[in-house]
Amino acid sequence: DLGMYGHRGPEDVEIGPDGKLYASTENGNIVRMALDGSGQQVFANTGGRPLGLRFDGVGKLIVADAYKGLLSLDAKGAISVLTSTDGSKPLNFADDLDIASDGKIYFSEASSRFPLADYESDFIEHRGNGRLLVYTSRAQGRDVLMTTTLDGKIKSRLLTTGADMREPAWGPFGR
């Protein structure tokens, strides 16, 4: 037990390149601390609900935020939005992520229909509203956005500025 000392709802933890532990909390804070839990300080506040945390290859903290989308935080905690939409509509419930060795960010949207504040409705509706998305900054010199549901029933491809999202190579549509 690291004792979060007033920080409620830690959802994810990640060890940073500085050797510190980072934890996301329900009030939007990302708390930085020593590995034993001591020296806790607010590193940044996303203004949303950070859920998934991973450091990328250049030391930036990438955050899946349920309300803000996919974020990037520099070493000083400055926040920039990587994407808050799928090209046609806002991301509704960015949930978790992982980063591949080639820099692609794989992240889940727990529901494309209901936000975190109404997650119970997703259970009641009992449909495949979740999606797996892939974000990369560039793809073969073009900027493209592609999304698909895990069951492969919905797929959209839209031109965007500055980002490439698409289904994974093993997805229902392949490449």
Side-chain angles (χ1 to χ4, degrees), residues 72-131:
S72 175
L73 284 70
D74 68 17
K76 295 182 180 185
I79 299 170
S80 58
V81 177
L82 295 177
T83 189
S84 61
T85 74
D86 70 2
S88 63
K89 65 179 185 169
L91 293 172
N92 209 34
F93 189 161
D95 184 37
D96 203 3
L97 71 134
D98 205 353
I99 303 174
S101 60
D102 64 3
K104 290 178 184 167
I105 302 169
Y106 293 81
F107 70 103
S108 59
E109 183 178 37
S111 177
S112 60
R113 187 162 156 76
F114 299 101
L116 176 61
D118 193 22
Y119 73 91
E120 295 94 345
S121 295
D122 210 19
F123 293 137
I124 293 167
E125 188 173 87
H126 197 64
R127 295 186 64 203
N129 293 325
R131 303 187 293 172

